[in-house]
Amino acid sequence: MRLLLVEDDDRVAAALVAVLGRHGFQVRHARSGHEALDALVPDGSDPYRVVLLDLGLPDRDGFEVCSRIRAGSGVPVIMVTARADIRSRIHGLNLGADDYVVKPYDMGELLARIHAVARRGAPRAGEDSGPEPTGPLASRGVEIDRERRRVSVEGRDVPLTRKEFDLLALLAQSPGVVYRREQIFSEVWRSGWEGNGRTLEVHVGSLRTKLGLPGLVEAVRGVGYRIAPEPAEQAEQVEGPGGAGEARGAASASASADDDAER
């Protein structure tokens, strides 16, 4: 999932790029409003799924940037700012921001909010949702028919339980993006994570066995699970500062952690 981070503080941005990269996001960092608006001009690349927008920018106010984004794009915008007063919150949401997060924030909550607005933003009418007419995992032989709740691998129907299907369908929404265990439990089981870790491990193990693709669902150390990115995607995990190093770090962590998160 591509994400545009608009943040003028390089130290804050570097930390966010590192964390978001580990969670499977391809992050582009813009340091000013001008850079942000320029980054959103279509250039044939995959569209951004979310914009994280700081309001204190060096060249123009973040509210103005949000207005200009909203005038030309439906991409979800999350304002991330130290401005905590209610008037700023209301103003930002009225300008078209999809969410408003006040610093300091919990990183887990920010990740959950990113996923939430991305889900709402993906199917907007009139926008190009990407060249995936046969499903996000079709290139690996997996077809997911959400309407009929059926899954096939290389044309072979694979019977799944209701929770197994819901788990696979959730992870397949954004291949390569890490879903936190808490988020998975909230969306699939509609309950809290505490004390239920073994249940998730059992369902992931069953999915791997039934699909006959043990590497498709990948555990990420101390975080959660994702659909393993294809090799070409791994090489482009991060576009921001230190991108190549971050990409190598993320790939290394995920490769060595496949069994760790199941303990």
Side-chain angles (χ1 to χ4, degrees):
M1 181 191 302
R2 294 188 79 205
L3 183 149
L4 178 62
L5 170 64
V6 189
E7 170 63 63
D8 67 325
D9 187 321
D10 283 344
R11 189 178 61 173
V12 172
L16 267 175
V17 168
V19 173
L20 293 168
R22 287 198 295 274
H23 284 263
F25 292 94
Q26 300 171 36
V27 184
R28 176 167 176 177
H29 173 206
R31 295 174 177 79
S32 67
H34 176 78
E35 281 188 42
L37 295 172
D38 187 60
L40 289 169
V41 175
D43 61 358
S45 302
D46 291 340
Y48 293 103
R49 295 283 300 279
V50 175
V51 175
L52 292 184
L53 175 62
D54 185 26
L55 296 181
L57 300 174
D59 58 343
R60 62 187 72 188
D61 191 85
F63 288 130
E64 179 191 350
V65 176
C66 181
S67 291
R68 296 188 61 172
I69 291 174
R70 193 51 70 235
S73 170
V75 62
V77 175
I78 301 177
M79 291 183 171
V80 183
T81 176
R83 300 181 196 176
D85 62 284
I86 191 64
R87 292 186 63 181
S88 293
R89 293 169 183 256
I90 292 172
H91 187 46
L93 295 171
N94 282 338
L95 285 174
D98 296 81
D99 203 347
Y100 192 104
V101 176
V102 176
K103 300 176 181 176
Y105 49 80
D106 178 85
M107 193 62 207
E109 180 183 357
L110 179 63
L111 288 166
R113 290 177 181 274
I114 291 172
H115 284 295
V117 299
R119 285 195 301 274
R120 294 199 299 267
R124 290 186 179 188
E127 289 192 359
D128 183 4
S129 59
E132 299 177 340
T134 58
L137 304 180
S139 64
R140 284 173 260 186
V142 180
E143 296 282 354
I144 301 174
D145 186 336
R146 286 180 166 79
E147 291 188 359
R148 295 178 176 83
R149 296 181 65 82
R150 295 176 60 183
V151 173
S152 64
V153 178
E154 302 293 353
R156 171 182 61 89
D157 285 341
V158 179
L160 299 179
T161 66
R162 182 164 61 91
K163 293 302 184 188
E164 288 167 354
F165 180 90
D166 291 343
L167 174 58
L168 179 63
L170 173 66
L171 299 178
Q173 288 179 4
S174 300
V177 172
V178 181
Y179 286 79
R180 298 175 67 85
R181 289 167 292 189
E182 297 89 338
Q183 181 186 4
I184 294 172
F185 250 84
S186 174
E187 299 200 20
V188 175
W189 276 267
R190 305 295 180 187
S191 66
W193 154 256
E194 293 77 10
N196 291 313
R198 183 60 183 161
T199 299
L200 179 54
E201 295 169 12
V202 169
H203 280 74
V204 170
S206 180
L207 258 185
R208 290 167 171 161
T209 300
K210 289 183 177 180
L211 296 175
L213 298 169
L216 183 69
V217 178
E218 186 178 71
V220 177
R221 184 191 300 272
V223 182
Y225 293 89
R226 66 176 177 178
I227 296 297
E230 295 186 88
E233 295 171 344
Q234 289 181 325
E236 299 174 354
Q237 283 282 322
V238 176
E239 300 172 7
E246 291 291 351
R248 286 194 295 273
S252 175
S254 62
S256 64
D258 191 37
D259 294 326
D260 182 80
E262 303 197 14
R263 290 195 290 269

